Amino acid sequence: MGLGAMDTGHRMGAGLSVTSRRMTARRILFLGLVSSTILALVSALTYVFAADGLRAIEIAMITVFALNTPWMVIGFWNAVIGFSLLHFKRDWLRSVTGLSGLEDETSAIGGRTAIVMPVHNESPDLVVGNLKAVIDSLDATGLSDTFDVFLLSDTTDPDIALREQSLFEAWRDGNERPDRLHYRRRTDNIRQKVGNIEDFCTRWGDGFDFMIVLDADSVMSGPAILRLVRLMQHNPALGILQTLVTGMPASSAFARMFQFGMRHGMRSYTTGSAWWQGPDGPYWGHNAILRLQAFRRNCALPALPGTRPLGGEILSHDQVEAVFMRRGGYEVRVLPLEDGSYEENPTTLPDFLTRDLRWCQGNMQYLKLFRHPSLIRGVRPMGRLQLLLAIMMYTGAPLWYAFMGLGLTDLCLTAASNGGSVPALGAPGFGLALFAAVMGMTFAPKLFGILDIALRRAGRRSYGGGLRIAAGTVLETLFSLLLSPVVALAQTVFVFGLFFGKRIRWDAQERDDRRVTLGEALSGLWLQTVLGAAFLVVLSVVAPHILPWATPVIAGLLLSVPFAVVTAMPMLGRFFRRFGLCAIPEESLVPEVLRDVRISMPQPAPILRAAPAVRPLADPERA
């Protein structure tokens, strides 16, 4: 080995050592901040309860509170750190990601990239329209020669499949380069989405360096895709690079309020989490680029032991693939930029709950990973933490309701022993301060997101000005207060049901605007209504002085049915659009790629008996 090579290797080793020490220091600092905050909150609650002596039920409440607090505290510090970096750290993006080539917008695109969209009984017009918009945007860059597109269909409905094939064939026939557009439909659907991707990798993976995965409702701009490919070229140790995914402009009032809150809270939160997670970041399963050969070598997913719902095929495969990719020595990072990567959000409360409970079932399967040494062997500590965080997304709700249930039981027992009256809590001022601290930490990501927008002139302008931001914030805060207890109860019931065999079908999502009838809302939300009424009656009788504290929860539960119906009403959505309420930046200045969505759709010839055969890419196994 020459002196030059030795010197280069020495510098690289030194650089890696410095980076490793920096990341270790960040994680120690973050652990210290989270641990001390949890300790302070638990100590404060203990102080409030201990004013008149600790009883067994209060110790149980403190324990439940301590178990539920880490998720909230982690979110709080993610937002604080992210906001601080965005506004007080020069060159914050390089500091957070550690990636080379962040400014590169001109280098040649090398290797070959497959853009894959696995679908299952989705709207063919949506699917083909989104794919066409992506490729049109990529073609407009003049650098699309190294990209191929694969629509990987697992569709089982024959009518949907017929339309799917016909639309795709019409697109191919009207395209200048039809050879790069590939359609494959499986008829067995073995292993669902995981099997769909595995089949692609087996048949055609040898021909590509990178793979960009899209969902049926995903859209990415050409420049955003080129940025991902260039970053993979500059960073050979990078296995998965996940982008931020922002919501598309929506007409449903429910979707508008939901994505308004998600949007401004996402930037600070994700920047903060990426700062300490570094190369051990998450993968959300779509709108990301993967190094294909590394993915094939390291990310094969075995079936979990036991039967469904917690055993069998891994449903929330994405985070497990990220952990396995990291186990194989490759980095998994998030690019915390709002930069040409979009998805559609559920338009109604029932559709939102269906999607959320699907994710819940998938994430709770990770409990079996921890109990299976052969699956978790070799996984880094940060990988285990990522899986634990994914589980904690859905254990918080049962713990929250357990805390409230224990508190209500305590009030009833106290009232029974005191002749029907319940004295006020000891240290009421301290209790009020603790309540304010918990609520502030819970809403911190959104609050820092709003502050982030307010401090940037371009941010204020993109959201329609300060008045519209303020109005949207008030509406979204009220929306979140009403939504949270409804979703939490659905999660609580579902989590307990999982251990008794309850599961949810992983069918295609409802993505179009629609009304929610009173009957549908009642059938899905009767338990929320009954529990809200029970809380109101019990507290009114035994502890009316607690009602102001419990109002957000009781109101959310009691109003769940009208909330579901009203937020899906087209009239309310039109009102929101007319006055720009809860608008996102892409609504006032629509990106080119989103203008093309569902526009200039290829129209198939009338179908009499069967769709025309779609010319597939040659299967190398049969060549």
Side-chain angles (χ1 to χ4, degrees):
M1 180 183 292
L3 292 176
M6 291 176 63
D7 183 58
T8 300
H10 175 74
R11 288 198 306 271
M12 288 181 63
L16 288 173
S17 178
V18 170
T19 301
S20 178
R21 289 200 300 271
R22 184 185 299 121
M23 191 55 59
T24 299
R26 289 179 182 182
R27 291 171 180 173
I28 291 173
L29 173 61
F30 191 79
L31 177 63
L33 291 170
V34 170
S35 300
S36 59
T37 305
I38 293 172
L39 180 61
L41 291 172
V42 173
S43 299
L45 183 63
T46 304
Y47 174 78
V48 171
F49 283 156
D52 57 352
L54 281 176
R55 289 171 290 121
I57 197 167
E58 291 174 331
I59 294 174
M61 291 178 69
I62 293 169
T63 302
V64 170
F65 180 78
L67 292 172
N68 190 35
T69 303
W71 178 255
M72 173 191 69
V73 173
I74 289 171
F76 168 74
W77 282 114
N78 280 344
V80 171
I81 293 170
F83 176 83
S84 301
L85 290 167
L86 289 170
H87 289 272
F88 303 112
K89 176 70 175 179
R90 186 172 297 178
D91 199 13
W92 65 269
L93 185 59
R94 186 177 302 280
S95 174
V96 168
T97 66
L99 294 174
S100 302
L102 289 168
E103 298 84 10
D104 181 10
E105 297 180 357
T106 59
S107 65
I109 301 297
R112 297 195 60 79
T113 301
I115 298 175
V116 304
M117 181 184 282
V119 297
H120 174 69
N121 291 337
E122 298 282 357
S123 163
D125 296 77
L126 170 77
V127 166
V128 179
N130 286 354
L131 269 179
K132 185 177 184 301
V134 171
I135 300 311
D136 287 348
S137 179
L138 194 57
D139 285 343
T141 68
L143 297 172
S144 61
D145 291 346
T146 60
F147 293 85
D148 278 46
V149 180
F150 292 82
L151 179 56
L152 306 176
S153 175
D154 260 5
T155 295
T156 55
D157 185 300
D159 294 329
I160 295 177
L162 207 60
R163 174 82 176 164
E164 194 176 75
Q165 295 170 2
S166 188
L167 279 175
F168 200 90
E169 181 68 14
W171 179 26
R172 283 182 57 108
D173 288 343
N175 195 270
E176 294 181 356
R177 291 179 49 216
D179 57 300
R180 62 180 171 160
L181 306 179
H182 315 292
Y183 176 91
R184 187 273 286 129
R185 181 184 172 211
R186 292 198 310 166
T187 57
D188 51 22
N189 306 126
I190 294 174
R191 306 196 69 197
Q192 302 178 69
K193 184 178 178 180
V194 170
N196 200 350
I197 295 290
E198 284 180 348
D199 180 76
F200 163 79
C201 290
T202 299
R203 290 172 178 265
W204 300 297
D206 288 340
F208 298 94
D209 300 279
F210 309 118
M211 175 172 67
I212 291 176
V213 182
L214 301 177
D215 268 356
D217 63 348
S218 294
V219 172
M220 293 186 72
S221 71
I225 289 173
L226 295 181
R227 177 198 284 269
L228 294 182
V229 173
R230 288 188 173 112
L231 286 172
M232 295 296 275
Q233 292 176 174
H234 279 285
N235 300 273
L238 196 56
I240 300 175
L241 182 58
Q242 174 72 64
T243 67
L244 279 186
V245 189
T246 57
M248 297 183 195
S251 55
S252 154
F254 181 92
R256 290 175 70 89
M257 288 186 282
F258 172 77
Q259 66 188 30
F260 180 82
M262 282 290 293
R263 178 64 176 272
H264 59 242
M266 181 169 54
R267 192 169 118 104
S268 295
Y269 182 97
T270 310
T271 300
S273 63
W275 176 81
W276 65 271
Q277 291 177 3
D280 298 273
Y283 169 43
W284 303 320
H286 59 95
N287 294 53
I289 188 168
L290 300 87
R291 195 172 299 277
L292 189 49
Q293 303 315 315
F295 179 81
R296 295 174 70 189
R297 285 195 304 271
N298 298 292
C299 299
L301 299 183
L304 292 170
T307 59
R308 293 182 178 181
L310 296 179
E313 300 299 333
I314 298 175
L315 301 177
S316 291
H317 56 91
D318 38 22
Q319 191 52 54
V320 183
E321 289 164 346
V323 169
F324 285 4
M325 179 72 83
R326 190 68 182 119
R327 180 172 67 178
Y330 288 87
E331 297 180 353
V332 179
R333 292 189 180 270
V334 174
L335 191 64
L337 293 174
E338 299 169 348
D339 183 31
S341 182
Y342 309 100
E343 67 176 347
E344 289 184 329
N345 286 306
T347 59
T348 70
L349 176 56
D351 296 325
F352 175 86
L353 289 176
T354 298
R355 186 185 73 167
D356 189 65
L357 296 184
R358 285 172 52 184
W359 292 350
C360 175
Q361 180 178 336
N363 284 20
M364 293 302 291
Q365 283 186 303
Y366 297 164
L367 290 168
K368 289 227 170 185
L369 278 174
F370 283 106
R371 291 156 48 193
H372 201 289
S374 65
L375 298 182
I376 207 71
R377 185 180 296 120
V379 169
R380 297 165 182 256
M382 276 297 299
R384 296 169 187 263
L385 178 61
Q386 287 285 17
L387 296 176
L388 181 60
L389 290 175
I391 294 171
M392 288 169 59
M393 286 179 62
Y394 293 102
T395 57
L399 290 170
W400 183 34
Y401 271 102
F403 182 84
M404 290 191 295
L406 288 168
L408 199 62
T409 302
D410 188 26
L411 289 173
C412 292
L413 292 174
T414 302
S417 62
N418 289 345
S421 64
V422 176
L425 284 173
F430 203 81
L432 182 60
L434 176 60
F435 177 80
V438 169
M439 293 300 292
M441 288 186 181
T442 299
F443 285 93
K446 294 180 181 181
L447 295 174
F448 278 106
I450 289 294
L451 189 57
D452 174 36
I453 296 168
L455 292 178
R456 293 183 289 119
R457 179 183 297 178
R460 294 193 301 272
R461 187 167 57 247
S462 68
Y463 279 86
L467 186 60
R468 282 183 175 170
I469 292 173
T473 300
V474 171
L475 286 169
E476 193 279 328
T477 301
L478 179 61
F479 170 84
S480 293
L481 287 172
L482 294 175
L483 178 67
S484 296
V486 176
V487 175
L489 183 59
Q491 291 175 352
T492 300
V493 173
F494 189 73
V495 166
F496 280 109
L498 285 174
F499 295 96
F500 296 95
K502 183 179 178 62
R503 62 179 180 173
I504 195 166
R505 288 176 57 88
W506 281 55
D507 291 329
Q509 294 176 208
E510 177 64 54
R511 304 186 190 275
D512 293 327
D513 291 359
R514 66 181 186 91
R515 293 179 181 272
V516 174
T517 65
L518 183 61
E520 180 186 0
L522 277 170
S523 66
L525 300 168
W526 64 269
L527 182 59
Q528 278 83 348
T529 305
V530 170
L531 187 62
F535 278 177
L536 178 61
V537 170
V538 172
L539 286 178
S540 297
V541 172
V542 304
H545 61 280
I546 302 293
L547 279 174
W549 301 62
T551 295
V553 175
I554 293 174
L557 294 173
L558 275 178
L559 297 175
S560 58
V561 170
F563 176 83
V565 173
V566 171
T567 55
M569 292 174 61
M571 181 176 64
L572 184 61
R574 289 193 296 269
F575 178 82
F576 272 54
R577 283 187 64 87
R578 179 180 177 184
F579 293 100
L581 297 175
C582 295
I584 57 175
E586 289 77 11
E587 190 168 321
S588 57
L589 185 62
V590 182
E592 194 69 37
V593 68
L594 294 185
R595 292 178 193 159
D596 292 340
V597 173
R598 301 190 185 185
I599 296 176
S600 302
M601 274 290 300
Q603 293 302 313
I607 301 172
L608 300 178
R609 293 187 178 179
V614 178
R615 296 181 292 273
L617 180 69
D619 188 338
E621 294 178 352
R622 300 176 183 174

